[in-house]
Amino acid sequence: MRDESTPPFRFRTPPGWPTPTAEWVELHQAAEPAPGWSPAPEIPFAPAGWRFWEPVPRSFRRFLPPAARRLRAVRWIALAVAALSLAVVVVVGALGGPGAVALVPLVAGVAVLVVGSARLGETAERTAASIRDDAATWRAAEVPVRARAASPGLDDDRALAAWEAAAWGMTSARPFATADDTTASPDRPGVPSPNRPGVPSPLRHRSRTVVAVTAGAAALLLVVGATAAVDPVVRAVQDSGQTLAVGLQDTGPDGSVPDDGAPGGGATDDAAPDAGDQEPWTSDDGTVTASFIADDETWQATCGAIDFADGCWAWQIDAECDGPAEVTVGFSDTESGDDVRTDTRTVVLTSGTPLILTEQGSEEWGGIRDVTCFTAPDQPVALTRTPLDSDDEDADGSWPDGCVDYGCAGWEVTADTSCASATVQFSVDEEVAQVTGPHDLVVTTALHAGEPVDVWAGGAWMPDEDARITRVTCG
């Protein structure tokens, strides 16, 4: 857990730059360096488009106004109204009823959802700008005081220069100049003017992404709802036309229509049972239970952050035992049929901490077959790991879709040995959807010796802070 004094933004050090002190970061929150500025002449300029600041989610939320919490609540209510209205449209339309009546609350819910997301993004942007401006005002008064205290034997100008150099760990440094500070001089730190316009780039980038994704999802809801509402009308018109044609062509002497399989006379196939109706699996001694995850939010926060091309299953395992355990999962094509495939995973269970197990699979039925505690653990796979930065240009394009709503912490891992189906276990601090925090999360992936692979822990934001890789085994 982070300390409550953690600043709302962390500084992303450009390549080739020294890392500034925590004091410098605290006094320069969200201040964008001027184009072409670097701490010293021998240090290269930052790459074009570099985002110098990244919000720390939990710390940043402490600075948001109460209206932000209300906007988040409004978004959830609007989403619930839209989802419920869509369900009414689909169900009533499937039964041949007037499903179009539910289009009005569906449109209203979608509109409030999009507007709420945009307003929440604007609130976050204004908060970030306020943090930046407050830091600028505080910096203008505080830096000279701290500089004189650090170098009492020097005059004010030399003390300021010494403070700047110490902040970057150098013998001498340029005075800091902000993106809109055109009056910075060698003998005075650049101080942005308060209340200037503009939004720090990390919030502008993130809020636009969230609004775009929300608008896209809302448009999809409207298309699905409208299609479901109109479809019964279209089918009714088609059926009427077909019945009339049959009547004109095949009417008997008494005016009856022969039962020869005309539209409306056939029986429909029963739909397969929902896998979410499965009863929880319980061990013989009652110390371990495994429940199938069927609700959309929890599935999206776990499986949704993993790009499983052939489908994904997820279970929550709660156990009273601590230590390594073997979990066996079976898959079949029918509810009572024999398993066509089984997977065995070695995990670590912690009493009181739920473990989310995800598995790839495209079969119709799947379930936990056995959980055996206190088995000998497999040998871990030796690998190197590098946290993935969400602001990195390469990472932006490869993030799974589920990361947008619930976040995900990512790593690039390179194993020393190959494993066709490795078990990757994470420890996640955050509460996500209907899963409490902290909790464990297990995903599977193929590892090839010497080849980097990206792995993701859904429901977290910062790798090695909000979530950690605790173990990787082969199987």
Side-chain angles (χ1 to χ4, degrees):
M1 298 294 291
R2 296 187 186 87
D3 185 84
E4 288 298 318
S5 62
T6 302
F9 289 95
R10 67 179 180 88
F11 185 75
R12 298 181 63 249
T13 307
W17 285 34
T19 301
T21 62
E23 181 184 35
W24 189 94
V25 172
E26 185 180 23
L27 289 167
H28 292 76
Q29 285 286 288
E32 298 282 343
W37 183 89
S38 67
E42 64 271 18
I43 294 177
F45 300 141
W50 183 264
R51 291 198 294 273
F52 289 89
W53 299 94
E54 171 71 11
V56 181
R58 276 180 288 186
S59 297
F60 181 77
R61 283 196 292 266
R62 290 190 286 109
F63 289 82
L64 289 171
R69 180 175 297 179
R70 292 193 293 271
L71 284 171
R72 283 195 293 268
V74 167
R75 284 200 314 168
W76 283 112
I77 294 172
L79 179 60
V81 170
L84 181 60
S85 302
L86 178 62
V88 171
V89 169
V90 173
V91 173
V92 175
L95 296 176
V101 297
L103 281 179
V104 174
L106 174 59
V107 172
V110 166
V112 173
L113 178 63
V114 174
V115 172
S117 296
R119 294 279 178 83
L120 188 59
E122 293 170 358
T123 300
E125 292 176 0
R126 288 195 299 269
T127 301
S130 176
I131 292 171
R132 176 199 57 203
D133 295 339
D134 288 346
T137 302
W138 184 38
R139 182 167 67 253
E142 189 69 14
V143 168
V145 175
R146 298 192 183 192
R148 286 192 295 270
S151 303
L154 301 178
D155 59 34
D156 289 350
D157 292 342
R158 292 182 179 180
L160 286 171
W163 188 90
E164 289 279 358
W168 292 99
M170 306 172 65
T171 56
S172 63
R174 290 170 169 161
F176 180 72
T178 60
D180 66 344
D181 182 11
T182 58
T183 60
S185 61
D187 61 349
R188 179 177 179 271
V191 178
S193 58
N195 302 318
R196 69 184 188 279
V199 178
S201 60
L203 267 298
R204 183 173 61 249
H205 169 76
R206 181 163 295 181
S207 62
R208 287 178 179 177
T209 300
V210 170
V211 172
V213 171
T214 303
L220 179 61
L221 282 176
L222 283 178
V223 170
V224 173
T227 302
V230 173
D231 183 64
V233 178
V234 174
R235 284 192 283 109
V237 172
Q238 291 175 340
D239 290 348
S240 299
Q242 290 170 340
T243 302
L244 177 60
V246 170
L248 291 175
Q249 296 171 9
D250 298 326
T251 301
D254 59 354
S256 63
V257 178
D259 185 8
D260 59 356
T268 59
D269 294 333
D270 292 333
D274 185 355
D277 295 334
Q278 298 181 43
E279 291 294 327
W281 179 91
T282 304
S283 61
D284 293 338
D285 58 5
T287 60
V288 183
T289 60
S291 304
F292 184 84
I293 291 177
D295 71 280
D296 292 340
E297 289 184 8
T298 307
W299 188 95
Q300 183 70 11
T302 52
C303 279
I306 308 164
D307 288 329
F308 282 167
D310 57 348
C312 177
W313 300 71
W315 292 269
Q316 177 172 321
I317 300 175
D318 296 278
E320 297 178 11
C321 61
D322 292 281
E326 280 190 351
V327 181
T328 303
V329 186
F331 300 93
S332 60
D333 292 327
T334 61
E335 181 178 9
S336 57
D338 296 334
D339 287 344
V340 296
R341 178 172 63 90
T342 59
D343 282 342
T344 300
R345 299 290 168 192
T346 301
V347 301
V348 171
L349 298 176
T350 303
S351 179
T353 300
L355 180 139
I356 308 300
L357 174 70
T358 64
E359 281 286 342
Q360 300 184 48
S362 56
E363 292 83 3
E364 291 294 328
W365 296 87
I368 301 295
R369 301 295 185 250
D370 186 55
V371 179
T372 305
C373 296
F374 305 110
T375 60
D378 288 347
Q379 292 297 319
V381 176
L383 50 78
T384 58
R385 67 192 72 176
T386 303
L388 292 175
D389 190 338
S390 62
D391 283 329
D392 183 75
E393 183 175 345
D394 294 333
D396 283 343
S398 64
W399 272 42
D401 293 339
C403 298
V404 175
D405 292 329
Y406 297 95
C408 57
W411 292 262
E412 181 185 84
V413 299
T414 305
D416 293 347
T417 57
S418 296
C419 180
S421 182
T423 301
V424 183
Q425 184 164 341
F426 306 96
S427 176
V428 181
D429 294 338
E430 301 284 353
E431 174 184 351
V432 57
Q434 297 186 14
V435 183
T436 59
H439 63 271
D440 294 326
L441 172 66
V442 170
V443 303
T444 61
T445 188
L447 297 176
H448 304 285
E451 297 182 11
V453 174
D454 293 348
V455 295
W456 308 94
W461 294 100
M462 305 291 289
D464 297 332
E465 294 186 35
D466 297 334
R468 293 157 295 284
I469 299 177
T470 55
R471 66 197 307 271
V472 181
T473 57
C474 192

